Amino acid sequence: MKQITTATIKQMKQNGEPITMVTAYDYAMAKNVCEAGIEMILVGDSLGNVVLGYNSTVPVTMEEMLHHTKAVMRGAQGALVVGDMPFMSYQASVVDGMYNAARFLKETGCAAVKLEGGSEVCELVHKLTQAGIPVVGHIGLTPQSVNQLGGFKVQGKSAAAAQKLLDDARSLEQAGAFSIVLECVPELLAKKVTESLQTAATIGIGAGKYCDGQVLVCNDLLGFTDGFCPKFVKRYADVHGEIVNAVKGYIADVKARSFPAAEHTFKIDDDVLDKLY
Ligand code: KIV
């Protein structure tokens, strides 16, 4: 399989070819999504919610992110893997951000990092890209700032907020980001942002169809749980239902002593058994 690089993503934007991205958090999922032909994998800090059971991404640590990114890298073939910088791994200082971003590339082998924020992170984005670390920006609904945003809401609805979002996208591109995630942004604002950027590919989640690409959390897309599902998610499978039914079947078979059957069982010669005392 051909290796996707940042140059491929830039070229896809120029060609108007939609870019596909999903999150993955482990070896098996990375292998599966690559087999399906996905172009980009985000090892998102959403793993805090969907894998580790935290109620936000705020508690996620660098060590947790590195652990899962290494697992994804062992399964990913061809896709461009992006490691997500967790809360407070880059907000306190540019030096922290440089050091932690470098850890992603050096310790996991992933090709890029993602970080949340607009103009306030541009100095860091510039320094990272100058140092050879490709960066994906993330604006709109930025879950690490949920306590400041006052909840998970659509962003950029007022004229001032929309202008700030557009300015942030332009600043991130100027600083060197090769791609920008737009989360929970009105469709026509995402279109305006996408058309305003010359090189940085927009990747939408809850941002409508005019972005250069789309990203979904793989657990949402696959229906891993039957709980709350955001409006912008389309479920392509009911893995939750499949798992519950499969495990119910296993429990029933074990209780009925119909599993394991002969074909799952190892044999021993009678004369060996006869020698036992
Ligand atoms: O952590 C994550 O999964 C993300 C996506 C929602 C873009 O940031």
Side-chain angles (χ1 to χ4, degrees):
M1 181 186 272
K2 193 171 159 278
Q3 179 61 52
I4 306 286
T5 65
T6 56
T8 324
I9 300 304
K10 284 183 185 160
Q11 194 56 54
M12 289 174 80
K13 177 179 173 79
Q14 301 311 322
N15 297 347
E17 185 186 342
I19 301 157
T20 59
M21 183 191 227
V22 288
T23 65
Y25 314 106
D26 63 25
Y27 166 80
M29 188 61 75
K31 226 166 163 305
N32 288 333
V33 300
C34 285
E35 194 178 318
I38 205 77
E39 283 134 357
M40 292 176 82
I41 293 178
L42 172 65
V43 188
D45 63 353
S46 52
L47 69 83
N49 302 92
V50 301
V51 177
L52 302 177
Y54 301 141
N55 62 8
S56 80
T57 57
V58 169
V60 177
T61 65
M62 265 306 286
E63 301 313 317
E64 286 165 340
M65 290 307 304
L66 294 172
H67 175 76
H68 286 273
T69 308
K70 285 181 199 170
V72 165
M73 285 303 295
R74 290 191 279 269
Q77 281 183 343
L80 188 157
V81 177
V82 181
D84 206 2
M85 304 271 291
F87 181 57
M88 289 317 287
S89 67
Y90 60 96
Q91 286 91 342
S93 74
V94 168
V95 173
D96 278 0
M98 296 284 288
Y99 171 77
N100 286 316
R103 285 194 73 191
F104 269 101
L105 269 67
K106 285 166 80 87
E107 296 178 33
T108 76
C110 73
V113 296
K114 176 173 85 59
L115 47 87
E116 296 181 6
S119 52
E120 70 280 12
V121 294
C122 281
E123 184 190 353
L124 173 59
V125 172
H126 179 68
K127 289 223 161 80
L128 289 172
T129 52
Q130 290 292 106
I133 300 180
V135 178
V136 177
H138 182 162
I139 53 177
L141 175 57
T142 46
Q144 292 176 12
S145 311
V146 64
N147 293 312
Q148 199 171 17
L149 295 175
F152 295 92
K153 301 180 196 151
V154 178
Q155 302 295 305
K157 288 183 87 167
S158 69
Q163 188 61 54
K164 160 117 178 65
L165 194 116
L166 185 56
D167 292 345
D168 280 343
R170 288 175 175 146
S171 303
L172 285 165
E173 178 181 62
Q174 191 73 34
F178 76 96
S179 178
I180 301 173
V181 169
L182 303 179
E183 181 165 353
C184 282
V185 171
E187 183 170 62
L188 293 182
L189 175 57
K191 180 174 191 276
K192 173 91 183 151
V193 171
T194 301
E195 289 169 355
S196 303
L197 301 178
Q198 307 302 308
T199 57
T202 58
I203 308 282
I205 174 163
K209 62 175 178 271
Y210 299 107
C211 295
D212 295 307
Q214 298 292 329
V215 58
L216 279 179
V217 168
C218 67
N219 295 48
D220 291 342
L221 175 164
L222 296 172
F224 258 60
T225 54
D226 66 347
F228 169 74
C229 182
K231 171 185 163 85
F232 56 77
V233 170
K234 179 172 172 184
R235 286 208 198 282
Y236 288 84
D238 176 22
V239 170
H240 164 77
E242 289 288 320
I243 291 174
V244 171
N245 282 337
V247 176
K248 276 185 177 166
Y250 168 70
I251 292 170
D253 280 358
V254 171
K255 297 282 184 197
R257 295 198 186 280
S258 57
F259 175 83
E263 67 268 28
H264 311 117
T265 306
F266 305 104
K267 305 267 182 263
I268 187 170
D269 289 339
D270 285 346
D271 58 332
V272 176
L273 264 187
D274 290 345
K275 287 194 184 113
L276 301 180
Y277 52 89

